[in-house]
Amino acid sequence: MAKSISKLGLVLALSACAHQGVAALDVVGAPQVAATHSVVEADAKLLAASNERAAAEKEFLDREQVCYARFFVSDCLDQAKEKRRLILVRLRAVEAEANHFKRAESVRLRDVELARTQEDARIDAEKRNAATPKAVKVVAPEPAPPKPAGMSLEQRQAEHDAKVKKQAAQEAADAPLRAAREADFARKQAEAIERQKRVAQRLAERQAEAAKAAAAAAASSSAPPATPIPFDPSGQ
């Protein structure tokens, strides 16, 4: 009985110590993060936080295996989890401050670039306005050539007579060729008529021959058959 009471007292004492350790971790205040002054420093903080987070996770896994081998598994795991939680809280604060600085720096650089662009545009506009405009050379259009004076009535009549004479001479020169063409056309027409006559004549002759042959065939078919001569065996 005394041994049981002694063991129970030992268990309660160890449990109290474990809870006191957790409480001490809980009362830790919010992490204080040093201010970042450059993008390079912010990137370095983020890289260090990433590495430390990986190390904390590995340490927790290793500690978890150790706790499972102990008698007070729950208390051991709680302490390991609390330690990891505090580390992650601090790392999140570091990452939040570094990311905030990078965003603010990006906005600042963008504003600086915008202001520089606007200033350059203003300076260019002032230079253009201050420059002396070049004189515009005015080119007068060339005068149109004078229109030729109209022909007189005698000139127009002479031009018309010349055209008529030229046309008459051309027709006279073309008369033999035109007559030859007309004669050739008449000859071809006569040959065509003669050819049609010959074709019609041959057709009529063939029709007459066909009619004659048909009449002969009809006559031969309508003639009475020949009377056969009786056969005389005596030869008389």
Side-chain angles (χ1 to χ4, degrees), residues 30-114:
Q32 299 295 324
V33 181
T36 304
H37 301 287
S38 66
V39 176
V40 175
E41 183 181 356
D43 291 337
K45 284 185 176 181
L46 293 174
L47 179 60
S50 177
N51 294 334
E52 190 173 353
R53 176 181 283 103
E57 294 293 345
K58 183 178 183 304
E59 181 182 359
F60 172 74
L61 293 177
D62 295 341
R63 186 63 181 172
E64 194 176 27
Q65 298 299 323
V66 174
C67 290
Y68 284 129
R70 292 191 175 185
F71 183 77
F72 299 104
V73 178
S74 299
D75 292 338
C76 182
L77 289 177
D78 290 342
Q79 291 183 14
K81 291 178 181 179
E82 182 63 15
K83 181 179 180 181
R84 182 185 63 171
R85 185 186 69 80
L86 293 176
I87 293 175
L88 295 181
V89 168
R90 178 174 57 81
L91 294 179
R92 281 194 291 269
V94 172
E95 291 171 339
E97 191 276 337
N99 287 322
H100 175 74
F101 175 83
K102 291 183 68 175
R103 288 193 296 270
E105 183 67 9
S106 177
V107 173
R108 186 186 69 81
L109 294 177
R110 184 191 61 191
D111 293 341
V112 170
E113 183 64 24
L114 179 60

Side-chain angles (χ1 to χ4, degrees), residues 139-147:
V139 179
E142 296 182 359
K147 295 182 180 180

Side-chain angles (χ1 to χ4, degrees), residues 95-172:
E95 291 171 339
E97 191 276 337
N99 287 322
H100 175 74
F101 175 83
K102 291 183 68 175
R103 288 193 296 270
E105 183 67 9
S106 177
V107 173
R108 186 186 69 81
L109 294 177
R110 184 191 61 191
D111 293 341
V112 170
E113 183 64 24
L114 179 60
R116 183 183 296 110
T117 302
Q118 293 176 348
E119 182 65 16
D120 293 341
R122 184 186 63 80
I123 294 174
D124 291 341
E126 291 179 354
K127 289 181 179 179
R128 287 194 301 270
N129 294 333
T132 304
K134 295 182 180 180
V136 179
K137 183 179 180 181
V138 179
V139 179
E142 296 182 359
K147 295 182 180 180
M151 293 187 297
S152 62
L153 180 60
E154 291 78 5
Q155 290 175 340
R156 287 198 296 270
Q157 183 63 39
E159 184 179 1
H160 175 70
D161 294 341
K163 289 182 180 180
V164 171
K165 289 180 180 180
K166 183 178 180 180
Q167 184 176 0
Q170 185 66 36
E171 290 179 355

